[in-house]
Amino acid sequence: MDNQTQPNPIPLQSIPPPQQLISDLKHHSNPSKIPIRPPKARRLSSPPRPGPSQPAPIPTDSSTSALTNTTAITNSSTAITNSTATTKQTGAKGKRGKEKNQSQTAREYPLIIKPLTAPGELENALRHLRNADPLLANIIDTYPPPTFESHHSPFLSLSRSILYQQLAYKAGTSIYTRFVELCGGEDAVLPDVVLSLTAQQLKQIGVSGRKASYLYDLASKYQSGILSDETVVRMDDRSLFTMLSMVKGIGSWSVHMFMIFSLHRPDVLPISDLGVRKGIHQLFGLDELPRPSQMEQLCEKWRPYRSVGAWYMWRFVESKAAPSPRMTAAQDGEIHQQQQLEQHQHQLQLLEPINGIGNLGACIWGQ
């Protein structure tokens, strides 16, 4: 026992302090596989409380709980992202679908304006004008109600308007009759037929080269699809005025006459017509012929039946200008010269060929 070799004791100076041991353990690669307790995972949401029909959650260790929570958070984030994307996509599709439906609705259901020839519409117009303007009511009671009987196609009516420009009614009627015969009848006055006519053929029946170019331009816009009888009938007043004004030789006065006497539109005020201007001048006792802006203001109360008011202005001017049986031939000649002078001045003012006779519009359109 005494001869047995004793182990050498470990000197106390060689044992490191506890703080150093802990530090070395943290930075070491842990070759001895010493289990190190992982840090606690931070719980983001409290687990649901068990209800009466819900089993209590199975407790897990901290590592499994952390992994479960992380997976749940990831899945929730993915679900929220997918939901947001789906919502945006659905919203975008819904918006595009709504715009598409609106455009289809506007295309399939255009604004249809009830013409004055519709049942009961003229009676509504007369009732409204009597109540809105006492001055006009007296004229309405003096004359028979207006008639709008022209039922020509829009293309034929516009061609007729071009042919009558800068001509007396009798001369315009003669040229128009020969033009219809050249085409093969009123039903044959179509864009393709007009384009097939040569300038020489039109010249032989009295159509000038300039008017021939106007007819060709109108027919070309019909042939290309810019205009058609169907779209002209369905277009609202403002769009129709814009589109027809693009045709060579068709100005504001021609468009207004076409809208009143061919389409029977109820709310058209021909501000450039001399007869309507003179009628408003006499009706309201103005010092001079009204300007367009003044006409709009004075006739605002006639809406939405200003076309009927304009018709009565023509009748009113005709009655004032009609010569009395006692009037001498000299006085009759003075009136004729005055009408010619007014016609010439009006043409220079508006830069559009019209006649000074108050009811020329009605004559051209077959009224």
Side-chain angles (χ1 to χ4, degrees), residues 161 164-172 253-254 257 272-278 314 317 335-336 338-348 350 352-364:
S161 173
Y164 271 86
Q165 288 178 3
Q166 292 181 322
L167 295 176
Y169 177 73
K170 185 177 180 180
W253 183 83
S254 298
M257 296 300 104
S272 60
D273 184 86
L274 181 59
V276 176
R277 294 178 68 199
K278 291 176 67 175
W314 283 313
V317 171
I335 290 178
H336 181 69
Q338 179 65 23
Q339 288 181 344
Q340 289 183 337
L341 178 61
E342 289 178 351
Q343 173 184 350
H344 178 67
Q345 292 175 345
H346 192 52
Q347 290 176 356
L348 294 178
L350 300 176
E352 183 176 359
I354 68 172
N355 197 299
I357 302 176
N359 65 343
L360 177 68
C363 291
I364 289 179

Side-chain angles (χ1 to χ4, degrees), residues 316-332:
F316 184 48
V317 171
E318 285 177 352
S319 65
K320 294 292 184 179
S324 170
R326 298 180 181 179
M327 187 175 295
T328 62
Q331 290 174 328
D332 189 26

Side-chain angles (χ1 to χ4, degrees), residues 92-363:
K93 289 183 178 179
K95 185 177 181 181
R96 289 195 298 268
K98 185 177 180 181
E99 293 175 352
K100 184 177 180 180
N101 292 336
Q102 289 178 349
S103 62
Q104 288 179 350
T105 302
R107 190 166 53 249
E108 294 174 0
Y109 302 97
L111 179 62
I112 302 299
I113 300 175
K114 187 180 294 186
L116 289 169
T117 50
E121 191 64 12
L122 186 58
E123 289 76 8
N124 294 335
L126 297 179
R127 188 183 308 111
H128 169 78
L129 293 174
R130 282 193 178 99
N131 296 331
D133 192 345
L135 295 177
L136 186 59
N138 295 330
I139 300 177
I140 293 176
D141 295 334
T142 304
Y143 301 96
T147 56
F148 301 92
E149 299 176 353
S150 175
H151 298 285
H152 293 145
S153 68
F155 181 78
L156 175 61
S157 297
L158 292 171
S159 301
R160 179 187 178 101
S161 173
I162 291 174
L163 292 173
Y164 271 86
Q165 288 178 3
Q166 292 181 322
L167 295 176
Y169 177 73
K170 185 177 180 180
T173 302
S174 176
I175 293 177
Y176 173 75
T177 301
R178 292 195 293 266
F179 172 76
V180 170
E181 293 176 354
L182 183 62
C183 292
E186 286 189 335
D187 293 338
V189 180
L190 302 172
D192 294 341
V193 175
V194 173
L195 290 174
S196 66
L197 301 176
T198 64
Q200 183 62 30
Q201 288 177 303
L202 292 174
K203 184 177 181 180
Q204 290 176 353
I205 62 173
V207 180
S208 64
R210 176 171 295 182
K211 287 187 179 180
S213 67
Y214 297 164
L215 292 173
Y216 292 149
D217 187 65
L218 174 64
S220 298
K221 285 181 170 57
Y222 262 77
Q223 191 181 56
S224 64
I226 297 176
L227 293 174
S228 69
D229 283 351
E230 182 179 359
T231 57
V232 165
V233 171
R234 291 178 174 269
M235 234 180 279
D236 62 274
D237 290 351
R238 180 174 297 182
S239 301
L240 182 61
F241 186 90
T242 302
M243 295 300 294
L244 292 183
S245 298
M246 296 170 55
V247 181
K248 294 180 180 179
I250 296 182
S252 62
W253 183 83
S254 298
V255 176
H256 287 153
M257 296 300 104
F258 170 74
M259 293 169 69
I260 294 175
F261 294 106
S262 181
L263 301 183
H264 311 144
R265 293 290 173 91
D267 194 34
V268 179
L269 181 64
I271 56 177
S272 60
D273 184 86
L274 181 59
V276 176
R277 294 178 68 199
K278 291 176 67 175
I280 294 175
H281 166 260
Q282 296 175 11
L283 179 66
F284 293 100
L286 304 178
D287 295 333
E288 57 184 5
L289 289 177
R291 300 179 301 276
S293 59
Q294 191 176 8
M295 293 175 65
E296 293 278 358
Q297 182 179 2
L298 292 172
C299 301
E300 180 67 24
K301 63 182 75 173
W302 297 356
R303 286 181 182 271
Y305 297 107
R306 293 181 297 176
S307 299
V308 180
W311 190 91
Y312 277 105
M313 290 299 96
W314 283 313
R315 305 288 83 80
F316 184 48
V317 171
E318 285 177 352
S319 65
K320 294 292 184 179
S324 170
R326 298 180 181 179
M327 187 175 295
T328 62
Q331 290 174 328
D332 189 26
E334 288 180 3
I335 290 178
H336 181 69
Q337 292 178 359
Q338 179 65 23
Q339 288 181 344
Q340 289 183 337
L341 178 61
E342 289 178 351
Q343 173 184 350
H344 178 67
Q345 292 175 345
H346 192 52
Q347 290 176 356
L348 294 178
Q349 177 185 359
L350 300 176
L351 298 179
E352 183 176 359
I354 68 172
N355 197 299
I357 302 176
N359 65 343
L360 177 68
C363 291

Side-chain angles (χ1 to χ4, degrees), residues 14-34:
S14 62
I15 299 176
Q19 292 80 1
Q20 185 176 353
L21 287 174
I22 295 173
S23 177
D24 294 339
L25 182 60
K26 290 181 178 180
H27 298 286
H28 203 266
S29 61
N30 193 18
S32 61
K33 307 298 182 182
I34 299 176

